[in-house]
Amino acid sequence: MMLFRWPLLLWLGVLWFPPSEAAPAAEIPLFDAHIHYNHDVWDALSPKEAVAILREAGVRCALVSSSGDEGTRRLYAEAPDLVVPELRPYRKTGETRSWLHDDSVIGYLQARLDTQAYVAIGEFHVNGTDADLPVVRRLVQLAKRQRLMLHAHSDAEAIERLFRQDREATIIWAHAGYESPALVREMVRRYRNLWPELSSRTDVAPTGRLAPAWRDVLVEFPDRFMIGTDTHQPERWKAVSSNAAFVRRWLEDLPDEIAERIAYKNGEALISSSCPKGSPKTTTIPAR
């Protein structure tokens, strides 16, 4: 099996910061709310190596989903103390658009849910009026019956439509929808069960320092935001450490208590525990 063996500078990637700049917050643990271990990385990166990368970056818990789900199960088997499993509707990469029209998705999800516990369905992609398509509606109802959260890569309109289908849903909002800080603030004010995660949001700190508009939102809602990496492509695994350094860098611009909440405490509070322990079937599912 071929292993990942890149030089150190390649691992650090484009978001690397000198140790002297990142040192003050370097030890803060992280709850990474957006990790994938997809089938296109399995042959290059073993579960043991993937877990080692997360631990070396200081990730205390990781919300993991995969295309297909076997990747999540492999990582969970390797590190049940680290991995919080969620279930994607994708059986392989490249289904981000086709799943919306695939009636077999619901049966696939139900079959997987019957054999292992998960905390959420997602991350799935849906925007605008597509959130009202029959397959999406059935997914929302399945999550409601199973008392699972939704992890949605969606614009603000789709988030609103998902909440209309289940007003009591808990939704993790991937990348905060790539929406503006002003619109994210409006959405968080409106929906008490909306939890934005900030993976791939380099605009949060475009110069390495927290942008003022984002700082205002995070200070107003310190208990609603999480961070993430989004390893949606194999090469993104090379960015886990550099992303952790980037996040810790801008967290320094917040009061310590708020920084800790966003770094890991909000994620742990959302799943009603610290990292899962025990067998997959005993993974904590949030109360509704």
Side-chain angles (χ1 to χ4, degrees):
M1 180 180 66
M2 180 180 68
L3 303 180
F4 278 175
R5 301 194 186 281
W6 289 288
L8 177 60
L9 289 180
L10 285 179
W11 276 110
L12 292 175
V14 297
L15 296 178
W16 177 76
F17 294 97
S20 60
E21 294 187 15
E27 298 305 316
I28 190 170
L30 301 175
F31 183 108
D32 195 309
H34 199 139
I35 289 291
H36 301 302
Y37 185 58
N38 295 335
H39 65 83
D40 54 3
V41 76
W42 297 345
D43 290 339
L45 186 69
S46 71
K48 185 178 294 295
E49 291 169 311
V51 167
I53 289 169
L54 294 171
R55 293 197 194 280
E56 289 169 6
V59 174
R60 186 151 95 177
C61 291
L63 186 61
V64 176
S65 65
S66 301
S67 307
D69 181 53
E70 180 62 27
T72 299
R73 296 189 179 209
R74 292 183 186 186
L75 281 196
Y76 188 93
E78 180 66 30
D81 63 316
L82 173 72
V83 173
V84 181
E86 60 177 344
L87 177 61
R88 296 194 96 176
Y90 310 152
R91 283 154 281 198
K92 61 182 183 299
T93 58
E95 295 184 342
T96 57
R97 297 183 180 180
S98 62
W99 82 274
L100 300 165
H101 310 282
D102 185 350
D103 289 336
S104 71
V105 161
I106 305 304
Y108 165 75
L109 293 173
Q110 185 64 72
R112 304 300 283 188
L113 291 171
D114 286 344
T115 59
Q116 177 169 317
Y118 300 82
V119 303
I121 295 178
E123 173 223 18
F124 57 85
H125 296 68
V126 62
N127 286 313
T129 59
D130 283 350
D132 287 330
L133 289 171
V135 172
V136 183
R137 286 185 170 275
R138 291 172 64 193
L139 180 147
V140 173
Q141 291 308 306
L142 175 62
K144 183 177 182 179
R145 289 196 303 272
Q146 300 278 354
R147 300 173 61 231
L148 301 174
M149 297 179 288
L150 300 169
H151 191 172
H153 181 132
S154 303
D155 58 13
E157 180 183 358
I159 294 294
E160 290 180 328
R161 291 174 181 273
L162 294 173
F163 274 121
R164 288 176 198 161
Q165 295 172 37
D166 180 7
R167 295 187 180 278
E168 298 303 315
T170 297
I171 299 179
I172 302 170
W173 195 10
H175 320 294
Y178 291 111
E179 303 284 12
S180 69
L183 182 51
V184 173
R185 171 192 275 116
E186 180 183 336
M187 293 289 288
V188 175
R189 283 176 176 169
R190 186 180 307 166
Y191 300 107
R192 61 182 176 84
N193 288 333
L194 181 63
W195 296 67
E197 50 98 337
L198 299 172
S199 59
S200 301
R201 291 302 298 258
T202 55
D203 63 309
V204 171
T207 65
R209 289 293 185 180
L210 187 58
W214 275 108
R215 189 184 193 282
D216 291 345
V217 178
L218 297 178
V219 169
E220 183 176 351
F221 298 100
D223 58 347
R224 300 281 290 282
F225 285 84
M226 299 178 290
I227 58 90
T229 302
D230 189 9
T231 51
H232 63 100
Q233 295 176 332
E235 57 266 28
R236 287 291 299 167
W237 278 93
K238 294 181 287 185
V240 171
S241 291
S242 59
N243 183 70
F246 170 67
V247 166
R248 290 186 175 104
R249 182 72 180 91
W250 62 255
L251 284 174
E252 292 178 27
D253 295 330
L254 293 166
D256 289 348
E257 182 179 353
I258 296 177
E260 289 178 354
R261 284 180 176 273
I262 294 169
Y264 68 96
K265 290 184 177 179
N266 289 342
E268 292 185 355
L270 182 60
I271 63 165
S272 303
S273 79
S274 59
C275 292
K277 297 176 176 63
S279 68
K281 292 184 179 181
T282 63
T283 301
T284 302
I285 295 176
R288 289 283 300 277

